[in-house]
Amino acid sequence: MVTYPEDWKALQLKDIGNIQMCRRIFQYQTKKNGQIPFYKIGTFGRNADAYISRELFEQFRKMYPYPSKGDVLLSAAGTVGKVVLFDGRESYFQDSNIVWLKVDESKIDKRFLYYFYKSFPWKALEGTTIRRLYNNIILNTDIFLPPLLEQQVIASVLSDFDVHIDNLTELIEKKKAIRAGALEDLVSGNTRLGGFDGEWETVAFNDVITPKARIGWQGLKKGEYLKRGYSYLIGGTDFQRGTINLNDISYVTKGRYEMDSNIQVEQDDVLVTKDGTIGKVALVPEISKPATLNSGVFVFKTKERLKSIFLFRILMSSVFRDFIAILSAGSTIKHLYQKDLKNFEFKIPVDVAEQQAIAQVLTAMDEEIESLETEKVKMMGIRKGAMDDLLTGRVRLKV
């Protein structure tokens, strides 16, 4: 149980404001394109997918409540407790599913209220008989308030965390876009790395790759999927962002592993899903024990003319995505057959050193993005700890 500082006031939200909601907009009043974005509960906090006319917006804005810049909007249904600090842009919101508390600003700072909402366990209501945040639930919520100036200082500190996290998010997306462009340019030969000016050649799949997969008579029974064992058993569900997630992977016995040497995989092998969502690609990371394949996955073994890490980049590019799209067009059957792969052609540098260099450049980009994502996760954890400390008074700031 949290013990709040003695100078913090124990109140309920109804003591500092009242619930507001916009007038309901009906589906027939919205358009796919228009002047004023309209947010339903499903698009709350994201880009709008519907619009209303300016005429209707102005009419309702005069007749019904409308949030002011800095008001804290709260989703009262669906994913309850999703919270947005309204930036003041002209937009309209679905009626009683999105609400806000019109507050007495002499008692509470709006940004402090935003962080209170953000940290409050509204989700604890999910799965109960309560399907939405009714007005009385919100208004009867307990809140402990420090002096107004301290609220503002707390909100400012937490806002700095948000700005830093938002900047990291923006930088990550920018780096991903640069990486995506570099991938397309480098694997096509449109951009050449310094020191390389040799020829590129067009190769057919069967000329440079041997695909292998588990065959039907090797079918594994449910009881053979182990939580621990001699060998990793890699399936399509273990593919994650171009590599293999080993955290929740299944295992098989040594006997099962040794049954087929063709599907024993090792670091830097290229794997491709052939069932379900076909064409997902993964590069096998450094692994500490033997590994084999489940059904539904190919391992592509490359010949001397092709480096496996360059093949991985080819398969991650539009060259392979477009090939898969053509195979899948108009088909309800999601299966990648070995006979289909013989029609896949692509360009490679004749010099395998150039293949290696291209792969290394792209790997360096991946590592930079991964480092930024790790920093973002770390910062989000620090922010959560700061919210827990500052919003309960366990840590006090000088004001």
Side-chain angles (χ1 to χ4, degrees), residues 44 72-75 81-85 113-114 117-118:
F44 184 57
V72 186
L73 305 177
L74 186 69
S75 60
K82 189 184 293 185
V83 60
V84 169
L85 197 62
L113 177 65
Y114 167 74
Y117 277 159
K118 199 167 186 176

Side-chain angles (χ1 to χ4, degrees), residues 12-220:
Q12 291 185 318
L13 291 180
K14 63 186 176 185
D15 298 322
I16 58 173
N18 56 78
I19 295 294
Q20 301 286 303
M21 62 188 70
C22 292
R23 170 74 174 182
R24 183 177 183 184
I25 294 288
F26 293 95
Q27 189 67 36
Y28 73 87
Q29 295 173 300
T30 67
K31 305 175 182 179
K32 289 188 177 180
N33 297 291
Q35 299 162 310
I36 307 299
F38 170 66
Y39 294 92
K40 298 177 290 186
I41 202 68
T43 54
F44 184 57
R46 306 199 314 269
N47 293 329
D49 60 3
Y51 297 83
I52 62 173
S53 68
R54 173 165 293 280
E55 180 183 8
L56 186 62
F57 171 72
E58 295 294 350
Q59 175 187 339
F60 277 16
R61 189 172 182 177
K62 290 177 182 178
M63 296 173 60
Y64 305 105
Y66 187 79
S68 303
K69 183 176 181 180
D71 280 345
V72 186
L73 305 177
L74 186 69
S75 60
T79 305
V80 298
K82 189 184 293 185
V83 60
V84 169
L85 197 62
F86 183 47
D87 59 11
R89 285 182 292 181
E90 290 183 325
S91 53
Y92 207 80
F93 305 92
Q94 188 178 5
D95 62 317
S96 58
N97 287 337
I98 299 173
V99 303
W100 67 97
L101 196 68
K102 185 60 69 174
V103 299
D104 181 346
E105 294 184 57
S106 69
K107 295 181 179 179
I108 188 168
D109 178 78
K110 288 181 180 180
R111 289 192 305 167
F112 184 89
L113 177 65
Y114 167 74
Y115 288 109
F116 170 78
Y117 277 159
K118 199 167 186 176
S119 64
F120 195 83
W122 302 110
K123 286 185 177 292
L125 299 174
E126 293 182 357
T128 69
T129 55
I130 299 172
R131 300 301 180 192
R132 62 172 291 117
L133 294 179
Y134 295 102
N135 290 358
N136 66 306
I137 294 175
I138 299 172
L139 292 173
N140 291 328
T141 300
D142 295 326
I143 184 171
F144 288 79
L145 293 181
L148 186 60
L149 182 57
E150 187 174 355
Q151 294 178 38
Q152 294 166 348
V153 173
I154 290 171
S156 180
V157 169
L158 295 177
S159 179
D160 288 342
F161 279 111
D162 283 347
V163 169
H164 183 54
I165 292 168
D166 288 344
N167 288 341
L168 283 173
T169 301
E170 185 177 344
L171 181 58
I172 289 168
E173 293 308 310
K174 181 179 179 180
K175 295 289 185 181
K176 285 182 176 179
I178 293 172
R179 191 264 316 274
L183 171 66
E184 298 298 327
D185 288 340
L186 289 171
V187 301
S188 65
N190 291 334
T191 297
R192 303 294 294 275
L193 296 178
F196 296 99
D197 56 7
E199 293 183 358
W200 286 49
E201 62 178 338
T202 299
V203 295
F205 181 90
N206 288 341
D207 292 338
V208 289
I209 301 168
T210 302
K212 294 294 181 180
R214 183 176 292 278
I215 58 179
W217 61 265
Q218 295 174 328
L220 286 165

Side-chain angles (χ1 to χ4, degrees), residues 356-379:
Q356 182 84 26
I358 289 170
Q360 288 174 343
V361 167
L362 294 169
T363 296
M365 290 183 170
D366 286 344
E367 290 173 348
E368 182 182 14
I369 292 169
E370 184 178 350
S371 177
L372 289 170
E373 289 177 331
T374 299
E375 182 182 351
K376 178 182 171 181
V377 170
K378 179 180 178 181
M379 191 56 57

